[in-house]
């Protein structure tokens, strides 16, 4: 698109500045609470910034292009942080992974792992609509969520010291049945490939128990 005169270009800037002043300011706060708003805000800002790159203007539009790109990045980063925080909060419910051979502790660990899997399924359902979020972005977000789930468990298990055979066997059983297998069955092939490193770490820890 060619903005060949000095009259049109400032008008274009005004339109984009108005969008930044009204929509981004309003939706930016709501995006912290409503994931769908975060996804839509990301899409809108990414699309508008792309349109700016196709405009040939006699004056610079960088001062609106940069904030649009930043708003798109912030929206998606906020969403990812929120999703991963839910996973980490669920993992904390386990209270560590010691004494898994004790019935009361096993039930507590199983409950925490079931919440992790539930949060993962919720994230997949939230991000499943390709009409809202591009497929590649969906994959990147879910990869981060899977990594948060795997890493939160792996780090705690690796911190255990001097666990006995009974405890090790019980922990192996609960992690395999309540986390590893459900994760494998829940995520799609594209996410499995993208999150392969985190999944392999979880598999390796379960295998050595």
């Amino acid at each position: 698109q060619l903005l060949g005169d000095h009259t049109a270009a400032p008008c274009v800037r005004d339109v984009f500045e108005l969008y930044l002043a009204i929509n981004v300011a309003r939706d930016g706060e709501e995006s912290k609470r409503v994931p769908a708003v975060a996804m839509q805000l990301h899409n809108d800002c990414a699309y508008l910034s792309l349109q700016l790159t196709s405009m040939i203007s006699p004056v610079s539009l960088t001062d609106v292009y940069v904030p649009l790109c930043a708003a798109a990045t912030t929206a998606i980063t906020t969403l990812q942080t929120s999703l991963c925080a839910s996973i980490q909060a669920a993992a904390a419910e386990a209270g560590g992974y010691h004494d898994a051979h004790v019935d009361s502790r096993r039930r507590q660990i199983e409950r925490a792992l079931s919440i992790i899997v539930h949060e993962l399924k919720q994230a997949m359902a939230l991000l499943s609509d390709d009409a809202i979020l591009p497929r590649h972005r969906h994959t990147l977000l879910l990869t981060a969520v899977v990594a948060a789930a795997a890493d939160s468990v792996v780090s705690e298990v690796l911190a255990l010291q001097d666990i006995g055979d009974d405890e090790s066997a019980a922990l192996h059983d609960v992690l395999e049945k309540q986390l590893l297998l459900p994760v494998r069955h829940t995520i799609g092939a594209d996410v499995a490939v993208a999150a392969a490193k985190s999944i392999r770490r979880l598999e390796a820890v379960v295998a050595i128990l």
Side-chain angles (χ1 to χ4, degrees):
Q1 301 177 39
L2 178 62
L3 301 177
D5 63 77
H6 289 269
T7 302
C11 292
V12 169
R13 179 189 282 110
D14 288 344
V15 170
F16 284 101
E17 286 182 343
L18 186 62
Y19 176 83
L20 285 167
I22 297 177
N23 294 63
V24 173
R26 179 196 63 203
D27 295 343
E29 284 303 312
E30 192 175 1
S31 69
K32 297 175 183 178
R33 303 183 299 274
V34 185
V37 173
M39 291 187 283
Q40 191 61 57
L41 181 60
H42 167 269
N43 280 3
D44 291 346
C45 291
Y47 173 78
L48 291 174
S49 63
L50 181 62
Q51 296 308 301
L52 275 175
T53 63
S54 68
M55 294 180 179
I56 303 172
S57 171
V59 295
S60 174
L61 295 173
T62 303
D63 54 337
V64 287
Y65 172 78
V66 172
L68 280 170
C69 291
T73 300
T74 298
I76 214 69
T77 301
T78 298
L79 177 58
Q80 178 176 315
T81 300
S82 175
L83 294 173
C84 290
S86 296
I87 292 288
Q88 290 159 354
E93 292 290 322
Y97 293 90
H98 55 87
D99 299 325
H101 59 308
V102 178
D103 287 345
S104 59
R105 285 289 299 127
R106 180 178 179 121
R107 287 194 297 271
Q108 182 179 2
I109 292 169
E110 287 178 335
R111 183 167 60 251
L113 295 179
S114 69
I115 297 173
I116 291 175
V117 173
H118 172 74
E119 291 292 341
L120 178 58
K121 290 179 178 178
Q122 289 288 94
M124 289 201 66
L126 173 69
L127 302 172
S128 63
D129 189 349
D130 293 346
I132 298 179
L133 206 62
R135 187 67 187 177
H136 74 280
R137 185 63 65 183
H138 160 274
T139 300
L140 288 173
L141 282 172
L142 279 180
T143 298
V145 173
V146 171
D151 295 347
S152 62
V153 173
V154 167
S155 60
E156 289 281 351
V157 173
L158 291 179
L160 294 173
Q161 296 180 356
D162 300 326
I163 62 175
D165 290 343
D166 290 345
E167 185 177 358
S168 178
L171 188 55
H172 171 95
D173 185 64
V174 71
L175 288 177
E176 183 175 52
K177 292 179 179 177
Q178 301 296 325
L179 183 64
L180 184 55
L181 292 179
V183 167
R184 285 173 176 165
H185 293 149
T186 298
I187 62 177
D190 51 348
V191 177
V193 171
K197 182 178 180 180
S198 295
I199 294 174
R200 282 198 299 269
R201 285 191 68 208
L202 179 59
E203 290 173 335
V205 166
V206 172
I208 63 175
L209 288 170

